[in-house]
Structure formats: structure tokens, C-alpha cells
Amino acid sequence: MLVVSSNAHRQHNSLEIHNGVMALSSESPSRADAILEAVTAAGHGVLEPDPVDLELVGRVHTSEYVEFLSTAWTRWHERESGPAAMSFMWPARGFEPKRPSDLIGQLGYHSFAADTSIVPGTWQAITSSASIATTAADHMIDSGLTTYGLCRPPGHHASADQFGGYCYLNNAAIAAQRLLDRGAERVAILDVDYHHGNGTQSIFYERSDVFFVSIHADPLEEFPWFAGHADETGTAAGAGFNLNLPLPRGTDRASWFAALDAAADRIERADVDALVVSLGVDSYVDDPLGTFQLTTDDFGKAASRIAGLGLPTVVIQEGGYNGAALGANVGAFLGSL
Ligand code: Q9C
Ligand code: ZN
């Protein structure tokens, strides 16, 4: 299988508030290095991405958000002294927030979590990550072959105008939009990351051309806390085109695969032309951020079930934080796809 990958991600080495103190992010450059090493050793071909098309990015994100991301580090660095631009204030319930004019207010407006900060190379890395997603979509269309985008930073928590959960640009949404722009009438996004893909859900919530399906830890018990419930099924034209399958913390393998069967069943009946998989391997039994019990072999089993759908497929990397197992887990998935 072809792997789209770039070294540009290394410029993004961000910080997060962890246990009340600033720390290096769990979402580290070594993650992508570990995956690349494993897929190269497995004999998969590697392709560099073409530059990102910002017009395409603008079909998924607002122009003020993209402008904000492209200038935030420079604006921060000109005036502040800290090593990372991060918000410490978000809109409270009750009022529709106006977008502030000052950088500090805009950081709060355009983000939702203190696990995600902007550092000097963030813009270069996130545009590279989005370019990997679009190049993977293009390669899949042009070759007819399943293609893997080794995206870093990940994307599925990023909405049209907010970053968080280590995500800035929504790579899976951008890939899906690319497939639609190149002729697909409807695309399914299957998100198997341990965390709910709140950003992807919100981007397509009112649309019927993208069917979003997510298997994840129940947001009553887990990040991102405020989205991912089973009763979120889409609105307006998108009614019925959003399916959440929340599972309790500690979910075992049998229950997870029952959810995957339910997801696959609904995708089979949704009349889609292509599939984007948001591949988070933080559902692994020993993931430091997850509590599910999937083994390395299970990622291969999941891939076989997904391949059984027989759909043209683009796989986009999301989370997964056990550095020692990351390569094997992604490798098991790709090897069985
Ligand atoms: N210090 C993805 O898997 N932050 N994002 C947890 C722990 C939220 C995970 C804070 C985890 C977000 C793409
Ligand atoms: Zn995750």
C-alpha cells in the first residue's frame, strides 16, 4: 500500500497542560517517525505530498480560522515571551461569542482545550499534514488503490474554526471533501480513534454528502466530553447522516468488534462511493491515553472487516500514543487492508 508522508511534521513539537503543569505534548514527532519506520520495514512505498491547496482547506474551515492559524505564532512571538501560544479562557455558556480582535481573545475563540498549543513550526506542520491527506485522496482516485496518509498532527478534533485535542486542520474532513470535489456523491468517514471525532462530526453535521460514523469512549467519561453521544444523529439535510457508537471505558474486544459490525452494517446501507478511515490506534490495550482492550492483532482484524466493505478507501492517521507499539499497530492495520 502506498504511504504518503513528509518530514515537515517535525517542526511541530508542542506543549500541553498535563496534570496542572506545562509539559511536552503526548502528540510528539517520534510518533510519526515510529510509524514511518514500521511501514517502510514492511515494504510499503512512500510518496511525498504535493503542496496543500488552501482553497480546498477553506471548504472545510472558515477563512478567518485559517488566517488565524497562519499568523498566530508570529503575532504571539512579536508581543509575548512564552514558548507556546495557548488559551486560558473560553466562552462561557449563555451567549453566542463575538470574535475578539486581540490575539489572546482569538486564541480562546479558536480553540477548546489546553492540551493544544501553537509553536513556531505549527503552521508548516499542519499544512503539511493536510497536504498528506489531499495527496492520499488524489492517489487513491488516480490509482484506484487504498492509500494511507501518515498525517501528523492529527485532525479529527478540529472543527471548522476551533483547534484542540492535538488537532488544528481536519485532515480526514479535507480528504473527504477532496473525494467529493473529484466526483464522489457521498463519502463515509469511519472514525475508530479512542476519542470521539467531535470536529469531523461538527463540520458535516448538517450535510448528507458525508456519513460520519464514530466508535469511541463515552463522552460522559472521556475527552472530548461535550460531543459524541448516541443521540447526535445530524440536523437539517444531515439528519440521519451521523452515527455515534459510544462505549464505556475499559471496553473489551468483543464489544468493540460488535460496534464495528454495527458501523460497517450502516455504511453498507448508506449508499456511499468511498470511505475515509480516521485511524486512531489509541484504542490499543496499552495506550497511555486510552482504556479499550484492542490488541495489535485486532487492528488487523478490524482492517479486514473494513476491507470487506469493498469501498475505495483512504486511511488518515489520527491518535495513538504508545510509542513502542504504534508502528506495529498501524502496520497490522495496513497489512490486512
Ligand atoms: N494530558 C487524539 O487522539 N488530551 N487526540 C488529554 C492528557 C486529550 C487526543 C490530556 C487527548 C486528545 C487525536
Ligand atoms: Zn484519540
Side-chain angles (χ1 to χ4, degrees), residues 140-141 144-147 179 187-188 272-277 309-315:
M140 189 278 276
I141 294 171
L145 301 171
T146 298
T147 306
L179 298 178
V187 175
V272 300
D273 305 314
L275 175 68
V276 175
V277 178
L309 292 168
L311 289 166
T313 300
V314 181
V315 180

mmCIF file of all heavy atoms in Angstrom, residues 140-141 144-147 179 187-188 272-277 309-315:
data_model
loop_
_atom_site.group_PDB
_atom_site.id
_atom_site.type_symbol
_atom_site.label_atom_id
_atom_site.label_comp_id
_atom_site.label_asym_id
_atom_site.label_seq_id
_atom_site.Cartn_x
_atom_site.Cartn_y
_atom_site.Cartn_z
ATOM 1 N N MET A 140 -5.479 7.823 -4.288
ATOM 2 C CA MET A 140 -6.484 6.758 -4.263
ATOM 3 C C MET A 140 -7.394 6.856 -5.494
ATOM 4 O O MET A 140 -7.675 5.853 -6.153
ATOM 5 C CB MET A 140 -7.299 6.834 -2.967
ATOM 6 C CG MET A 140 -8.217 5.652 -2.748
ATOM 7 S SD MET A 140 -9.743 5.811 -3.647
ATOM 8 C CE MET A 140 -10.705 6.809 -2.535
ATOM 9 N N ILE A 141 -7.802 8.079 -5.833
ATOM 10 C CA ILE A 141 -8.671 8.234 -7.010
ATOM 11 C C ILE A 141 -7.912 7.852 -8.287
ATOM 12 O O ILE A 141 -8.419 7.118 -9.140
ATOM 13 C CB ILE A 141 -9.178 9.688 -7.118
ATOM 14 C CG1 ILE A 141 -10.107 10.011 -5.943
ATOM 15 C CG2 ILE A 141 -9.909 9.898 -8.441
ATOM 16 C CD1 ILE A 141 -10.484 11.477 -5.861
ATOM 17 N N GLY A 144 -6.871 4.008 -7.946
ATOM 18 C CA GLY A 144 -7.902 3.047 -7.542
ATOM 19 C C GLY A 144 -7.467 2.181 -6.362
ATOM 20 O O GLY A 144 -8.158 1.239 -5.991
ATOM 21 N N LEU A 145 -6.325 2.524 -5.758
ATOM 22 C CA LEU A 145 -5.788 1.705 -4.674
ATOM 23 C C LEU A 145 -5.941 2.396 -3.325
ATOM 24 O O LEU A 145 -5.795 3.614 -3.210
ATOM 25 C CB LEU A 145 -4.295 1.423 -4.913
ATOM 26 C CG LEU A 145 -3.943 0.694 -6.217
ATOM 27 C CD1 LEU A 145 -2.431 0.687 -6.427
ATOM 28 C CD2 LEU A 145 -4.497 -0.729 -6.190
ATOM 29 N N THR A 146 -6.201 1.583 -2.314
ATOM 30 C CA THR A 146 -6.253 2.082 -0.941
ATOM 31 C C THR A 146 -4.941 2.790 -0.607
ATOM 32 O O THR A 146 -3.862 2.293 -0.919
ATOM 33 C CB THR A 146 -6.481 0.907 0.026
ATOM 34 O OG1 THR A 146 -7.740 0.321 -0.296
ATOM 35 C CG2 THR A 146 -6.505 1.372 1.475
ATOM 36 N N THR A 147 -5.042 3.968 0.002
ATOM 37 C CA THR A 147 -3.860 4.794 0.268
ATOM 38 C C THR A 147 -3.899 5.281 1.706
ATOM 39 O O THR A 147 -4.966 5.586 2.249
ATOM 40 C CB THR A 147 -3.833 5.992 -0.712
ATOM 41 O OG1 THR A 147 -3.927 5.500 -2.051
ATOM 42 C CG2 THR A 147 -2.547 6.801 -0.561
ATOM 43 N N LEU A 179 -12.513 14.041 -2.122
ATOM 44 C CA LEU A 179 -13.178 12.942 -2.841
ATOM 45 C C LEU A 179 -14.499 13.420 -3.436
ATOM 46 O O LEU A 179 -14.844 13.075 -4.576
ATOM 47 C CB LEU A 179 -13.427 11.758 -1.898
ATOM 48 C CG LEU A 179 -12.180 11.098 -1.287
ATOM 49 C CD1 LEU A 179 -12.580 9.969 -0.331
ATOM 50 C CD2 LEU A 179 -11.249 10.550 -2.376
ATOM 51 N N VAL A 187 -19.644 10.229 0.709
ATOM 52 C CA VAL A 187 -18.469 9.590 1.311
ATOM 53 C C VAL A 187 -18.816 9.239 2.753
ATOM 54 O O VAL A 187 -19.495 10.004 3.439
ATOM 55 C CB VAL A 187 -17.270 10.570 1.270
ATOM 56 C CG1 VAL A 187 -16.064 10.004 1.997
ATOM 57 C CG2 VAL A 187 -16.906 10.920 -0.185
ATOM 58 N N ALA A 188 -18.350 8.092 3.216
ATOM 59 C CA ALA A 188 -18.445 7.761 4.646
ATOM 60 C C ALA A 188 -17.093 8.030 5.299
ATOM 61 O O ALA A 188 -16.049 7.793 4.696
ATOM 62 C CB ALA A 188 -18.828 6.297 4.840
ATOM 63 N N VAL A 272 -22.680 4.898 -0.253
ATOM 64 C CA VAL A 272 -21.515 5.784 -0.399
ATOM 65 C C VAL A 272 -20.597 5.262 -1.502
ATOM 66 O O VAL A 272 -20.577 4.074 -1.809
ATOM 67 C CB VAL A 272 -20.727 5.923 0.932
ATOM 68 C CG1 VAL A 272 -21.622 6.507 2.023
ATOM 69 C CG2 VAL A 272 -20.117 4.604 1.374
ATOM 70 N N ASP A 273 -19.839 6.189 -2.089
ATOM 71 C CA ASP A 273 -18.925 5.853 -3.181
ATOM 72 C C ASP A 273 -17.502 5.610 -2.692
ATOM 73 O O ASP A 273 -16.673 5.084 -3.436
ATOM 74 C CB ASP A 273 -18.876 7.006 -4.206
ATOM 75 C CG ASP A 273 -20.251 7.371 -4.706
ATOM 76 O OD1 ASP A 273 -21.011 6.446 -5.036
ATOM 77 O OD2 ASP A 273 -20.578 8.574 -4.734
ATOM 78 N N ALA A 274 -17.194 6.103 -1.496
ATOM 79 C CA ALA A 274 -15.821 5.989 -0.997
ATOM 80 C C ALA A 274 -15.834 6.077 0.521
ATOM 81 O O ALA A 274 -16.819 6.512 1.129
ATOM 82 C CB ALA A 274 -14.943 7.095 -1.582
ATOM 83 N N LEU A 275 -14.700 5.663 1.107
ATOM 84 C CA LEU A 275 -14.568 5.621 2.568
ATOM 85 C C LEU A 275 -13.273 6.310 2.988
ATOM 86 O O LEU A 275 -12.225 6.097 2.386
ATOM 87 C CB LEU A 275 -14.534 4.152 3.021
ATOM 88 C CG LEU A 275 -14.282 3.888 4.509
ATOM 89 C CD1 LEU A 275 -15.465 4.368 5.352
ATOM 90 C CD2 LEU A 275 -14.034 2.390 4.744
ATOM 91 N N VAL A 276 -13.381 7.147 4.031
ATOM 92 C CA VAL A 276 -12.204 7.682 4.707
ATOM 93 C C VAL A 276 -12.189 7.052 6.101
ATOM 94 O O VAL A 276 -13.192 7.103 6.810
ATOM 95 C CB VAL A 276 -12.261 9.223 4.818
ATOM 96 C CG1 VAL A 276 -11.091 9.757 5.645
ATOM 97 C CG2 VAL A 276 -12.277 9.864 3.419
ATOM 98 N N VAL A 277 -11.072 6.440 6.468
ATOM 99 C CA VAL A 277 -10.934 5.888 7.820
ATOM 100 C C VAL A 277 -10.077 6.837 8.647
ATOM 101 O O VAL A 277 -8.942 7.137 8.275
ATOM 102 C CB VAL A 277 -10.284 4.484 7.803
ATOM 103 C CG1 VAL A 277 -10.108 3.966 9.234
ATOM 104 C CG2 VAL A 277 -11.119 3.511 6.978
ATOM 105 N N LEU A 309 -15.933 -4.137 3.136
ATOM 106 C CA LEU A 309 -16.938 -3.220 2.605
ATOM 107 C C LEU A 309 -16.745 -3.037 1.093
ATOM 108 O O LEU A 309 -17.671 -2.621 0.392
ATOM 109 C CB LEU A 309 -16.851 -1.854 3.307
ATOM 110 C CG LEU A 309 -17.253 -1.819 4.782
ATOM 111 C CD1 LEU A 309 -16.843 -0.491 5.421
ATOM 112 C CD2 LEU A 309 -18.763 -2.032 4.917
ATOM 113 N N GLY A 310 -15.526 -3.278 0.615
ATOM 114 C CA GLY A 310 -15.247 -3.182 -0.814
ATOM 115 C C GLY A 310 -15.279 -1.773 -1.364
ATOM 116 O O GLY A 310 -15.526 -1.570 -2.554
ATOM 117 N N LEU A 311 -15.035 -0.790 -0.502
ATOM 118 C CA LEU A 311 -15.105 0.608 -0.951
ATOM 119 C C LEU A 311 -13.709 1.173 -1.233
ATOM 120 O O LEU A 311 -12.753 0.813 -0.541
ATOM 121 C CB LEU A 311 -15.758 1.471 0.143
ATOM 122 C CG LEU A 311 -17.255 1.255 0.362
ATOM 123 C CD1 LEU A 311 -17.681 1.903 1.687
ATOM 124 C CD2 LEU A 311 -18.061 1.832 -0.807
ATOM 125 N N PRO A 312 -13.599 2.072 -2.233
ATOM 126 C CA PRO A 312 -12.342 2.809 -2.396
ATOM 127 C C PRO A 312 -12.039 3.542 -1.090
ATOM 128 O O PRO A 312 -12.902 4.252 -0.565
ATOM 129 C CB PRO A 312 -12.655 3.803 -3.524
ATOM 130 C CG PRO A 312 -13.831 3.235 -4.241
ATOM 131 C CD PRO A 312 -14.625 2.482 -3.199
ATOM 132 N N THR A 313 -10.839 3.343 -0.553
ATOM 133 C CA THR A 313 -10.575 3.770 0.828
ATOM 134 C C THR A 313 -9.304 4.594 0.970
ATOM 135 O O THR A 313 -8.257 4.254 0.415
ATOM 136 C CB THR A 313 -10.478 2.512 1.732
ATOM 137 O OG1 THR A 313 -11.724 1.805 1.668
ATOM 138 C CG2 THR A 313 -10.187 2.881 3.182
ATOM 139 N N VAL A 314 -9.417 5.679 1.733
ATOM 140 C CA VAL A 314 -8.265 6.486 2.151
ATOM 141 C C VAL A 314 -8.178 6.374 3.669
ATOM 142 O O VAL A 314 -9.173 6.576 4.369
ATOM 143 C CB VAL A 314 -8.450 7.973 1.770
ATOM 144 C CG1 VAL A 314 -7.220 8.790 2.184
ATOM 145 C CG2 VAL A 314 -8.714 8.134 0.283
ATOM 146 N N VAL A 315 -6.994 6.039 4.174
ATOM 147 C CA VAL A 315 -6.790 5.937 5.616
ATOM 148 C C VAL A 315 -5.982 7.144 6.082
ATOM 149 O O VAL A 315 -4.937 7.461 5.502
ATOM 150 C CB VAL A 315 -6.046 4.631 5.982
ATOM 151 C CG1 VAL A 315 -5.849 4.535 7.493
ATOM 152 C CG2 VAL A 315 -6.798 3.418 5.451
#
